[in-house]
Amino acid sequence: MADYRVDFEDVKFVLRDQLDFGSITKAERYSGFTWDDFEAVLAASLEFTSKVIFPLQADCEVERPILKDGGVTLWPRYHQVYKKYNDSQFGLLSVNPDLGGQGMPHTLGAIFLEFLVGACPSFTFVPGLAKAAGNVIEHVGTPEQVATYCTKMYSGEWGGTMCLTEAHAGSAVGDLKTRAKRGDGHYLISGSKIFISAGDSDLTSNVVHLVLARTDDAPPGIKGVSLFIVPKVRADGTFNDVRVTALEEKMGIHGSPTCQLSFGDDGDCHGYLLGGECTGIEHMFLMMNEARIAVGIQGVGIGNYGYQLALAYAKERTQGVDVAAMRDPNAPRVAIIEHPDVRRMLMTMKAYAEGLRSLLYSTATFYDRSLVATDAREKQRYEHLIEILTPICKAYGSYRGFDIVDTAILIHGGYGYCREYQVEGLLRDVKIAAIYEGTNGIQALDLLGRKVSRQGGMMFMTFIQWMNEFIAANKEHPAHGGLVVKLEAAKNTLTMLTMEFAQMNANKDIHYPVLNASPYLELFGAVVLARLLIDQAVIASKKLEGDTNEKERRFLEAKKHTAAFFVHRELPKVDAYAAAIRSGDRSALDVVL
Amino acid sequence: MKILVTTKRVTDPGTKIKLKADGSGIAADGVEFKPNPFCENAIEAAISLRDQHGGEVIVVSIGPDEADQTIRSAVAMGCNRAIRIDGNDGGLDGDLVARALAKLAESEQPDVFILGKQAVDGDSNQVGQLMAEYLGWPQATFASAITVTNGGKSAQVAREVDGGIETVEVDFPAVITADLRLNEPRFASLPNIMKAKRTAIEVKTLADLGVETTLKVRTTRFEAPPGRQAGKKVADVADLVQKLRNEAKVL
Ligand SMILES: Cc1cc2nc3c(=O)[nH]c(=O)nc-3n(C[C@H](O)[C@H](O)[C@H](O)COP(=O)(O)OP(=O)(O)OC[C@H]3O[C@@H](n4cnc5c(N)ncnc54)[C@H](O)[C@@H]3O)c2cc1C
């Protein structure tokens, strides 16, 4: 099995050179740290991930969680790795110091997640969901609830889940039926949930479920939903009537127990209200951006590892001869990386892998910067950018992450289709990112229907300003100005289309814009990636004017090629999507299927 | 128990190194350093002995400012104090290193001094042995197990020797060098990494220690080994035996 590989140079390039993240230590909140600390911690966490977490991935392809006596059992090596993970405390990187964390910026936590999820996608669920659920309690809970749960969930002693989905209520969360009956100091929860990630395991002594349920007289739909803390084991040590009724056998992420849960079979499942009644969805939304960015990071982590595997394979595998020597039977056999079509595939993967990394890091840093912004307008600017970019991080990140791994399989030829090589496993693991945390179709609706149009298009305007600033500053760039001109045209197409959508809405044509939400998201994503990749080329050119060694020069020169490749060969898709959206073609709506 | 332990930065064994064109050394361009793996075994041993028996672990390295990063990773594993002896780690010989460390041992007076059995760059395998000789202390090299005996006055050490394990007992103060199978070095936890970044490293010069700096070994030239020659395919076993006998002349 090939080693785990992350292009750490690229990680540093994006964070230090493109996003100038070292400067965040000037803010009071992070003044206890230096760029040096960030780099040291990231390097150490990557080393830890490669040596300790990565070997578990091979296990996850052959072992399975087992359902026994209403609980889930994981195999011994999983337990050992989980203990080492908790001992390392890397999972506490960006956690609040009052709750046992190191209080470092969230961006670093996001990058650590990228390392982890590339190394062993399914390992990330138990710790990741405990952290996400703990985060909701930290933000919404009473001081007692925070004290009872957060430290134990963050340290990994207890697990956590997010229980939204029911058999008939997936994308339409508001249709959920689980009930919460007011009782004496608690509510009595009854109902069942499906597809609950990390729903149970013997890694932890308790699992704290966050359950969306309906109180007795709640209004129908999403507005009548409340959020409850439902521990598997109560504070006094008694069993809280929560059972695992089934484990899903899935396409991938086999190391993550995906559970069907039943609450209150014996009528004795206690739930503790989190926030007020009927405010459940509000609280879930609070955490939604972070969760969706985390899913985008799955695309980045798995996609980047897929690219690394394909690149190494293409340099090793010899097959055929140079096309110019095709008629010569004695021509030397070449590594497949010499074949133009393989080079095209590699560059496509590289552009998306690095572009997505830049997109996800950018959005994560906007979050940290919004937390430390002292100026209200600056803060708002970051918040707008996060709102607009989040559905793109989630959907574009998961779609393209999948495509990268798909291409990695092709580069491996028949070997790529076989279990012995890792790429087919990565493909099965990355697929889920397009589905949960709101399917990619739902993300497109969120982008077009809510983000772009909300507040009279204010957030979209902030985004366009972010684009325009970059275009104005670099249009005359001696080396890359030509790429910027193409970017400007694509950005103008995006702006025009967005206004045309507004027009369609005004005409009361509801179905046609919705039909075009996904193509619109694709187009949007390409424009954003082009901006980020050209920015990298501009930075690379500047760095090449200074002192560099051979390795750095190679890296920086490749950045310039990557931007040119993307702008010339991928960005033109913007025009194709625009033509489709403007076609007025309603066949998908009119057809009888 | 007071334990001195070494660490040394070595060019990352996982990367390809390049030689300077004039053969005077390894090209520093883009070279990455890692802690010597045998030193990591030594540090792990020192820390777990301290955890069992109490006391402190002091890590020492000889090198320039840049070696601080390597020292900090040892502190992050759990060493209590850190000392750097300022020096050009590319231009020393094992004897000078042994004499410098012996001086430090004289002033620190540890019960045990644990070193890696060798550094994976030069692979000299000399420092521990020479230093024990200079100090007049007993030595147990290539340790694969260490047990403290006699209420902390000595240690029983299993040594990896050709053909098996030899067990020796050394009275303290003693020198022990660590082999790979001694233990599995721990990963530093995040809080310890952060703490190590804030730990002061005491810097001493060779002059402070009163070490005479003449070298006994002079490096004249670095040369890359010749590239591997293409192999030969043999037709059958008879052909193989014939070739081994007549061409390779090994039978
Ligand atoms: C491995 C795994 C782990 C999961 N983990 C969790 C978890 O931890 N907690 C949790 O609560 N849930 C979890 N889920 C559930 C997941 O979030 C849902 O599967 C997802 O939200 C989709 O819901 P659904 O499966 O009911 O599909 P449906 O909602 O039935 O969707 C089917 C298709 O219809 C489309 N569609 C539906 N409604 C619309 C609409 N209004 N407009 C346009 N298109 C629409 C969807 O995009 C999709 O393509 C998990 C699922 C899986 C497979």
Side-chain angles (χ1 to χ4, degrees), chain A residues 36 41 162 230 304 339 409 445-446:
Chain A
D36 220 39
V41 165
M162 299 285 214
V230 184
N304 269 276
H339 299 308
I409 292 178
L445 292 178
D446 179 53

Side-chain angles (χ1 to χ4, degrees), chain A residues 143-163:
Chain A
E144 292 73 34
Q145 287 172 331
V146 172
T148 309
Y149 299 104
C150 289
T151 310
K152 284 186 168 153
M153 293 173 80
Y154 289 149
S155 71
E157 188 181 337
W158 288 355
T161 69
M162 299 285 214
C163 297

Side-chain angles (χ1 to χ4, degrees), chain A residues 9 32-33 36-37 40-41 44 47-48 51-52 84 87-90 92-93 102 104 549-551, chain B residues 15 18 28-32 34-35 40 69 72 184 187-195 197-198:
Chain A
E9 281 315 304
F33 302 109
D36 220 39
D37 294 340
V41 165
E47 169 104 4
F48 171 80
K51 299 247 168 76
V52 178
K84 285 187 183 169
D87 287 348
S88 81
Q89 300 189 36
F90 281 120
L92 292 162
L93 246 172
Q102 284 291 325
M104 296 182 96
N549 64 41
E550 191 191 317
K551 201 170 133 203
Chain B
T15 59
K18 285 204 184 112
D29 211 29
V31 164
E32 291 192 13
K34 284 246 154 94
E40 292 186 300
Q69 203 187 338
R72 287 196 198 287
E184 195 186 318
F187 279 93
S189 70
L190 177 62
N192 285 345
I193 292 169
M194 295 309 294
K195 223 178 338 168
K197 295 216 62 133
R198 314 286 185 258

Side-chain angles (χ1 to χ4, degrees), chain A residues 510-583:
Chain A
I510 295 194
H511 288 110
Y512 191 74
V514 169
L515 174 66
N516 287 295
S518 285
Y520 177 73
L521 184 143
E522 290 285 344
L523 182 159
F524 209 127
V527 172
V528 175
L529 243 61
R531 182 216 181 274
L532 295 169
L533 290 171
I534 300 171
D535 189 21
Q536 295 195 346
V538 168
I539 294 162
S541 290
K542 180 117 187 282
K543 287 195 81 169
L544 280 162
E545 287 166 14
D547 252 358
T548 49
N549 64 41
E550 191 191 317
K551 201 170 133 203
E552 288 163 341
R553 273 195 298 283
R554 211 170 89 177
F555 175 85
L556 296 169
E557 289 293 346
K559 281 287 180 200
K560 298 200 289 186
H561 289 297
T562 308
F565 180 90
F566 188 86
V567 171
H568 292 302
R569 291 175 182 272
E570 293 295 312
L571 193 60
K573 288 180 178 168
V574 164
D575 293 329
Y577 282 119
I581 295 168
R582 284 173 173 149
S583 68

Side-chain angles (χ1 to χ4, degrees), chain A residues 361-382:
Chain A
Y361 289 15
S362 297
T363 312
T365 60
F366 293 158
Y367 181 62
D368 283 319
R369 294 210 185 266
S370 77
L371 292 179
V372 302
T374 45
D375 176 77
R377 283 190 44 200
E378 189 196 343
K379 190 177 174 69
Q380 193 188 45
R381 182 179 123 94
Y382 288 126

Side-chain angles (χ1 to χ4, degrees), chain A residues 7-275:
Chain A
D7 186 349
F8 196 57
E9 281 315 304
D10 193 47
V11 171
K12 286 191 287 185
F13 177 82
V14 177
L15 202 56
R16 179 192 55 210
D17 300 322
Q18 187 170 21
L19 299 168
D20 184 27
F21 198 59
S23 69
I24 202 152
T25 58
K26 291 194 195 115
E28 171 73 35
R29 183 185 175 115
Y30 299 123
S31 59
F33 302 109
T34 62
W35 166 257
D36 220 39
D37 294 340
F38 295 167
E39 197 179 320
V41 165
L42 287 177
S45 73
L46 177 56
E47 169 104 4
F48 171 80
T49 305
S50 311
K51 299 247 168 76
V52 178
I53 306 295
F54 178 65
L56 191 67
Q57 172 66 357
D59 275 19
C60 290
E61 289 290 28
V62 289
E63 306 268 5
R64 291 289 181 274
I66 294 168
L67 178 58
K68 225 170 40 191
D69 310 325
V72 176
T73 310
L74 290 162
W75 57 95
R77 187 144 83 148
Y78 206 123
H79 282 257
Q80 289 160 16
V81 171
Y82 185 68
K83 180 174 186 317
K84 285 187 183 169
Y85 175 85
N86 287 338
D87 287 348
S88 81
Q89 300 189 36
F90 281 120
L92 292 162
L93 246 172
S94 47
V95 166
N96 182 349
D98 295 337
L99 300 169
Q102 284 291 325
M104 296 182 96
H106 293 83
T107 302
L108 300 191
I111 298 174
F112 177 49
L113 176 63
E114 176 199 330
F115 297 163
L116 278 183
V117 81
C120 183
S122 53
F123 177 76
T124 57
F125 287 79
V126 171
L129 277 146
K131 194 165 163 226
N135 207 7
V136 178
I137 298 175
E138 183 182 341
H139 283 86
V140 190
T142 62
E144 292 73 34
Q145 287 172 331
V146 172
T148 309
Y149 299 104
C150 289
T151 310
K152 284 186 168 153
M153 293 173 80
Y154 289 149
S155 71
E157 188 181 337
W158 288 355
T161 69
M162 299 285 214
C163 297
L164 290 80
T165 307
E166 298 177 7
H168 48 272
S171 300
V173 180
D175 290 347
L176 64 86
K177 289 190 179 142
T178 298
R179 310 223 50 106
K181 205 167 135 55
R182 281 180 213 103
D184 188 16
H186 56 258
Y187 289 72
L188 283 176
I189 308 292
S190 61
S192 48
K193 297 281 178 180
I194 61 164
F195 293 152
I196 304 308
S197 296
D200 191 57
S201 87
D202 58 347
L203 295 177
T204 58
S205 58
N206 200 357
V207 181
V208 180
H209 304 285
L210 296 192
V211 178
L212 279 184
R214 231 170 247 302
T215 44
D216 302 329
D217 35 22
I222 201 76
K223 292 207 165 77
V225 167
S226 309
L227 187 58
F228 296 89
I229 301 175
V230 184
K232 172 171 137 182
V233 182
R234 289 181 210 149
D236 61 5
T238 51
F239 174 64
N240 195 29
D241 198 13
V242 181
R243 285 178 185 80
V244 183
T245 46
L247 261 178
E248 303 300 340
E249 175 57 33
K250 309 183 295 288
M251 174 181 183
I253 53 165
H254 296 304
S256 166
T258 308
C259 301
Q260 291 183 26
L261 297 176
S262 185
F263 298 89
D265 282 1
D266 300 336
D268 192 28
C269 176
H270 293 193
Y272 313 104
L273 186 66
L274 198 46

